[in-house]
């Protein structure tokens, strides 16, 4: 049995918009999408990572008062939320594919420090770094 | 006065564009176009959103790039000045010294005498962390003189 971090949430401007971005443009799958009154618990996950859920949460009542929700919306839209990192097998191929899907890239793939990375934002303003998985160390070599 | 998240998201787009290509000229008209707002509206709202006028934000990115190139490469200082968006090596040297306290040559010499451990912090985060904080009076004074040379006007 594996234990570890199960869910981490992002604040998004609009849950339908976020859902279509993460599912249709990035290839995530829906894990949970349930409502309780006006409240909607929405999580997605990467198809290769079944033990982890990414929550797509909208700031607002009943969790936040109106003023706090407005502040959170502003902070997200200013791109001030903490960094997010997506690992991919091939950064340039993923970039091509995602560009075709209309993902807004802030940085084209660049090779740095022996790896390739690119940057994009989700529609709400959350910034992602997309990093190519480093090649596996050769058997017998120390890391 | 609060700003709408929709406007902020569009302002972030012009900030992202400056981040992606700080060496390019970013006249205020171009930035306003990226954010799809009027020129007058852009300057005011950008400063309100990010606490610094757009041209000064661009300056922090250029200085951050220049310090990284001085530290991590052997490129001649003239090349670094041109690559980070300055048209004149003299202007670059003067503004660099105003902001960092060292001339580009002194900065390079000092940095090369310090050993830098392999970074565990992602590069993009380090870039942001290494940006100068341009809130001090001396750079404010210099900023006013340098505005024209950066190709960005505040209004």
């Amino acid at each position: 049995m594996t234990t570890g971090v199960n869910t981490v949430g992002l604040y998004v401007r609009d849950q339908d918009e976020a859902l279509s971005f993460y599912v249709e443009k990035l290839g995530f799958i829906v894990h949970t999408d349930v409502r309780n009154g006006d409240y909607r618990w929405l999580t997605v996950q990467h198809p290769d990572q079944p033990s982890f859920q990414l929550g797509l949460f909208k700031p607002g009542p009943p969790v936040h008062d109106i003023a706090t929700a407005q502040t959170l919306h502003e902070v997200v839209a200013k791109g001030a939320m903490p960094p997010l990192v997506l690992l991919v097998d091939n950064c340039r191929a993923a970039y091509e594919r995602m560009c075709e899907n209309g993902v807004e890239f802030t940085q084209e793939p660049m090779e740095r420090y022996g790896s390739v990375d690119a940057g994009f934002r989700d529609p709400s303003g959350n910034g992602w770094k997309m990093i190519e998985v480093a090649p596996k160390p050769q058997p017998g070599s120390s890391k | 006065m609060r700003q709408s998240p929709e406007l902020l998201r569009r302002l972030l787009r012009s900030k992202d564009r400056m981040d992606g290509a700080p060496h390019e000229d970013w006249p205020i008209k171009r930035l306003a176009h990226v954010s799809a707002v009027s020129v007058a509206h852009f300057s005011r709202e950008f400063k309100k959103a990010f606490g610094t006028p757009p041209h000064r934000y661009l300056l922090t990115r250029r200085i951050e790039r220049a310090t990284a190139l001085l530290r991590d490469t052997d490129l001649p200082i003239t090349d670094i000045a041109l690559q980070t968006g300055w048209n004149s090596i003299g202007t670059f040297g003067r503004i660099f010294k105003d902001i960092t306290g060292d001339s580009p040559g002194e900065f390079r010499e000092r940095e090369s005498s310090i050993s830098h451990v392999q970074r565990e912090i992602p590069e993009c985060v380090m870039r942001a962390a290494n940006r100068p904080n341009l809130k001090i009076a001396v750079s404010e004074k210099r900023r006013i003189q340098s505005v024209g040379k950066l190709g960005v006007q505040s209004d």
Side-chain angles (χ1 to χ4, degrees), chain A residues 3 6 11 17 28 48 50 64 80 89 97 109 115 125 127 129 131:
Chain A
T3 60
N6 171 255
Y11 289 130
E17 177 188 58
F28 284 62
D48 298 335
H64 309 103
D89 287 332
R97 195 169 58 242
S115 182
K129 206 72 175 171
I131 300 178

Side-chain angles (χ1 to χ4, degrees), chain A residues 89-110:
Chain A
D89 287 332
N90 182 324
C91 187
R92 291 196 172 88
Y95 170 79
E96 293 297 330
R97 195 169 58 242
M98 286 159 65
C99 272
E100 279 173 29
N101 285 339
V103 173
E104 180 179 343
F105 275 85
T106 51
Q107 180 218 306
E108 291 176 12
M110 283 177 72

Side-chain angles (χ1 to χ4, degrees), chain A residues 5-62:
Chain A
V5 178
N6 171 255
T7 305
V8 173
L10 298 180
Y11 289 130
V12 298
R13 172 174 59 197
D14 177 296
Q15 286 176 304
D16 287 324
E17 177 188 58
L19 183 61
S20 75
F21 177 82
Y22 282 97
V23 172
E24 289 161 28
K25 297 190 176 178
L26 296 198
F28 284 62
I29 54 177
V30 177
H31 183 281
T32 307
D33 185 359
V34 293
R35 290 168 197 266
N36 184 348
D38 289 337
Y39 184 74
R40 182 180 185 188
W41 174 266
L42 172 64
T43 70
V44 295
Q45 64 184 185
H46 194 277
D48 298 335
Q49 198 178 19
S51 65
F52 182 81
Q53 297 171 54
L54 186 65
L56 305 174
F57 303 132
K58 185 175 175 178

Side-chain angles (χ1 to χ4, degrees), chain A residues 64-84:
Chain A
H64 309 103
D65 61 85
I66 299 281
T68 304
Q70 166 71 15
T71 301
L72 290 171
H73 276 299
E74 288 176 12
V75 167
V76 172
K78 288 200 264 188
M81 296 301 280
L84 300 157

Side-chain angles (χ1 to χ4, degrees), chain B residues 4-37:
Chain B
S4 83
E6 289 75 15
L7 171 65
L8 292 168
R9 182 68 184 87
R10 295 209 307 276
L11 295 174
L12 178 61
R13 216 157 264 138
S14 57
K15 186 162 168 277
D16 282 341
R17 293 285 297 279
M18 286 191 276
D19 286 342
H23 58 284
E24 291 182 12
D25 282 338
W26 287 102
I28 207 80
K29 265 176 128 172
R30 186 181 177 198
L31 292 167
H33 181 73
V34 170
S35 291
V37 291

